[in-house]
Structures are given as structure tokens and as C-alpha cells.
Amino acid sequence: MHGTHVAECQTNRTDLAVRETPRRMLYPINEVAEQLGGIEVRTVYRKLASGEIPSIKLGGRRMVEHGDLVAYIKRCRATTTGGGQ
């Protein structure tokens, strides 16, 4: 699965709109998918289930904290570029 993760990061890599300073603290899953270059929502759910992206459940909705989304993107960048920014 790790090899799939790397390929997915490479094919969806863009200059993502998620900023270090958040406009808000939590993102619903559909917006996480959009922020990750338009990947499918079911792919986001797989990443949540595997623990690649941490999430919380709030009022019956699964949400991702801004910092966790930024951290995931940085891990993808480090994996696809071999070490960083």
C-alpha cells in the first residue's frame, strides 16, 4: 500500500491551497478531497481508515483538522521529492 500512496501523491501533487495559517480549523471530507487535488472522497476515507490522515467526529460528521491536513501534504511532498521543501 505504501507504493500506492507514493504514486497517488505524485499524480495529485499541485501547489495546494491549504495555507499554514488556516481560514478555519476543520474541513469536511469533501473539502479535504478537493484540497488534495480533487482526489475521490472514497480515497480520503481510505486514508482516514488507515490512519494516514487523522480525523475527528463532530456532531456526526467526520472532519479533518487543518494542521493534520497540512502535515499530510508535507509528508507527501517529502515522500515524492526525497526529503523536503
Side-chain angles (χ1 to χ4, degrees):
M1 179 160 167
H2 187 267
T4 302
H5 168 67
V6 172
E8 209 165 346
C9 286
Q10 290 170 342
T11 58
N12 290 307
R13 187 160 185 253
T14 61
D15 289 328
L16 300 168
V18 177
R19 295 171 183 80
E20 292 291 329
T21 305
R23 290 184 310 213
R24 60 185 170 180
M25 297 295 293
L26 298 170
Y27 294 95
I29 303 310
N30 64 319
E31 289 186 31
V32 172
E34 186 178 309
Q35 292 291 334
L36 293 176
I39 66 173
E40 295 201 23
V41 169
R42 69 178 178 229
T43 302
V44 175
Y45 277 109
R46 281 195 303 266
K47 292 178 181 304
L48 299 177
S50 72
E52 286 181 75
I53 302 174
S55 67
I56 62 170
K57 198 163 190 178
L58 186 64
R61 294 181 69 191
R62 183 69 50 190
M63 306 287 280
V64 175
E65 290 186 60
H66 175 82
D68 290 330
L69 184 56
V70 170
Y72 173 75
I73 292 167
K74 286 181 178 184
R75 285 192 307 273
C76 280
R77 185 175 294 140
T79 301
T80 59
T81 62
Q85 303 180 43

